[in-house]
Amino acid sequence: MSKPALKLRSWPLTVLYYLLPLGALRPLSRVGWRPVSRVALYKSVPTRLLSRAWGRLNQVELPHWLRRPVYSLYIWTFGVNMKEAAVEDLHHYRNLSEFFRRKLKPQARPVCGLHSVISPSDGKILNFGQVKNCEVEQVKGVTYSLESFLGPRTPSEDLPFPPATPHSSFRSQLVTREGNELYHCVIYLAPGDYHCFHSPTDWTVSHRRHFPGSLMSVNPGMARWIKELFCHNERVVLTGDWKHGFFSLTAVGATNVGSIRIYFDRDLHTNSPRYSKGSYNDFSFVTHANKEGIPMRKGEHLGEFNLGSTIVLIFEAPKDFNFRLQAGQKIRFGEALGSL
């Protein structure tokens, strides 16, 4: 491509190409100009900076008289059920952040005691099933790499992994017991959903890995559009073990969800300028004083998002583990995901 053509390949022209009527910029093709793809254009948006600004806006205290109309508009737009909220009075919430992170009445989400794995949050089931060929489906037909998502296995993770061999797959490195399989479940939290997430089973968290990536939207439409979306986005991977072996819960960030909070992890700071994209930050909960890690009970409060996002469970279980789900169904925290 000639130098004049390279100069013409600019973001402003690309934006105009997609906004103007079809063919309006066709004459530019004669000098070699081609529009940047929609995916590349979207990836260039400074979502981390915008999400950081949105987070600060959420902290601004609203005047008492403005709270009811602002929150009522949000409730109407996203179908929020305030009758489930621990505090129904809209004037109680001083800012948008407090409203997004509202707690529920204790009886609003009973925890199923009959099944071994429950939903950690409210949301929509995007995909679930066995992990095959080291690839996981984010939505039907669109996959991402298991190793890219969880990151490479390291000795610092303090997990009961079997010894790795030069030819072993990443999936086989996670399966600790003979006869077991690796399973996954993806739950999308919409803006109107309850934003806290809980422990999906009885397990012990031994390691946290924080990937500072992008903050692109994770709604189902975008997940179909961008391959390996969950691997591009900022995420917090908690790994450990449960009674059947390896267990992990990953909180995936999204646009305007620059804040992922894990209640027992005070050292975690997401969407921070001090972290560079493409890197990751490890932290072990196994110490000389605590050689077991962080024990979590099924249904126990684990963390929260600001606005909405995605939870991905990846875990080891015997071959007769069965999901009790349908792709696309709505689910609430405490309801059964599956059992033996």
Side-chain angles (χ1 to χ4, degrees):
M1 186 181 292
S2 65
K3 290 184 179 180
L6 286 173
K7 291 180 180 179
L8 284 171
R9 184 167 178 164
S10 61
W11 296 116
L13 280 176
T14 296
V15 173
L16 287 174
Y17 176 85
Y18 291 119
L19 292 179
L20 293 176
L22 186 65
L25 297 182
R26 188 170 295 169
L28 294 178
S29 63
R30 297 171 184 172
V31 293
W33 180 78
R34 294 291 183 274
V36 176
S37 71
R38 287 183 174 88
V39 172
L41 182 64
Y42 179 64
K43 286 181 178 179
S44 71
V45 176
T47 51
R48 289 177 62 83
L49 181 62
L50 293 174
S51 297
R52 208 171 296 138
W54 173 255
R56 292 183 179 180
L57 179 63
N58 286 348
Q59 299 293 333
V60 175
E61 185 169 342
L62 296 175
H64 195 270
W65 61 269
L66 190 58
R67 295 175 189 177
R68 179 172 289 277
V70 169
Y71 300 146
S72 295
L73 177 62
Y74 187 92
I75 290 168
W76 177 80
T77 303
F78 295 109
V80 178
N81 184 3
M82 284 303 293
K83 291 183 178 179
E84 297 179 333
V87 180
E88 296 183 39
D89 181 12
L90 297 181
H91 293 110
H92 169 80
Y93 303 100
R94 295 173 297 177
N95 52 48
L96 287 166
S97 180
E98 286 188 3
F99 179 71
F100 294 147
R101 296 180 288 106
R102 64 194 176 276
K103 304 300 182 183
L104 299 182
K105 294 172 182 174
Q107 67 274 21
R109 295 291 185 276
V111 174
C112 177
L114 299 177
H115 300 279
S116 55
V117 183
I118 62 169
S119 176
S121 66
D122 288 9
K124 179 180 180 180
I125 302 295
L126 294 190
N127 218 305
F128 63 92
Q130 284 190 19
V131 176
K132 298 180 179 178
N133 302 322
C134 297
E135 292 283 323
V136 185
E137 283 193 321
Q138 56 192 30
V139 292
K140 188 172 179 60
V142 182
T143 63
Y144 57 92
S145 162
L146 180 64
E147 185 170 8
S148 296
F149 181 70
L150 295 178
R153 200 192 102 183
T154 63
S156 64
E157 292 182 66
D158 299 304
L159 296 175
F161 287 127
T165 63
H167 303 291
S168 62
S169 67
F170 186 77
R171 176 191 166 282
S172 64
Q173 293 174 25
L174 299 181
V175 177
T176 63
R177 301 179 187 179
E178 187 176 352
N180 280 1
E181 296 288 345
L182 202 62
Y183 298 88
H184 75 102
C185 184
V186 183
I187 305 170
Y188 166 68
L189 289 74
D193 288 327
Y194 168 55
H195 293 352
C196 296
F197 51 94
H198 301 245
S199 176
T201 192
D202 295 335
W203 65 307
T204 301
V205 184
S206 56
H207 185 265
R208 180 257 292 159
R209 176 168 286 166
H210 172 215
F211 293 83
S214 302
L215 285 170
M216 294 181 282
S217 172
V218 292
N219 69 58
M222 198 63 67
R224 294 185 191 95
W225 193 33
I226 301 178
K227 182 178 173 61
E228 297 206 331
L229 171 62
F230 297 159
C231 297
H232 291 301
N233 269 17
E234 180 162 26
R235 58 199 181 277
V236 177
V237 181
L238 300 178
T239 50
D241 62 280
W242 70 318
K243 61 183 178 181
H244 298 297
F246 172 79
F247 199 96
S248 73
L249 180 149
T250 301
V252 183
T255 306
N256 297 333
V257 191
S259 174
I260 302 172
R261 183 182 174 195
I262 304 297
Y263 294 139
F264 57 75
D265 190 353
R266 295 183 179 180
D267 294 319
L268 176 65
H269 301 284
T270 57
N271 196 15
S272 171
R274 65 176 175 165
Y275 295 125
S276 59
K277 290 170 61 175
S279 63
Y280 60 82
N281 172 43
D282 283 333
F283 184 86
S284 176
F285 298 110
V286 177
T287 63
H288 291 294
N290 178 16
K291 297 183 179 180
E292 298 297 325
I294 308 295
M296 297 297 300
R297 302 293 295 174
K298 183 168 66 173
E300 187 177 352
H301 279 84
L302 183 54
E304 64 187 35
F305 291 112
N306 232 342
L307 204 56
S309 195
T310 298
I311 295 285
V312 180
L313 302 180
I314 299 175
F315 58 94
E316 175 185 0
K319 292 181 179 179
D320 56 351
F321 181 87
N322 292 310
F323 284 103
R324 299 174 179 270
L325 303 171
Q326 290 183 344
Q329 79 171 72
K330 292 287 291 182
I331 197 165
R332 305 201 305 177
F333 154 62
E335 294 178 346
L337 288 183
S339 62
L340 299 171

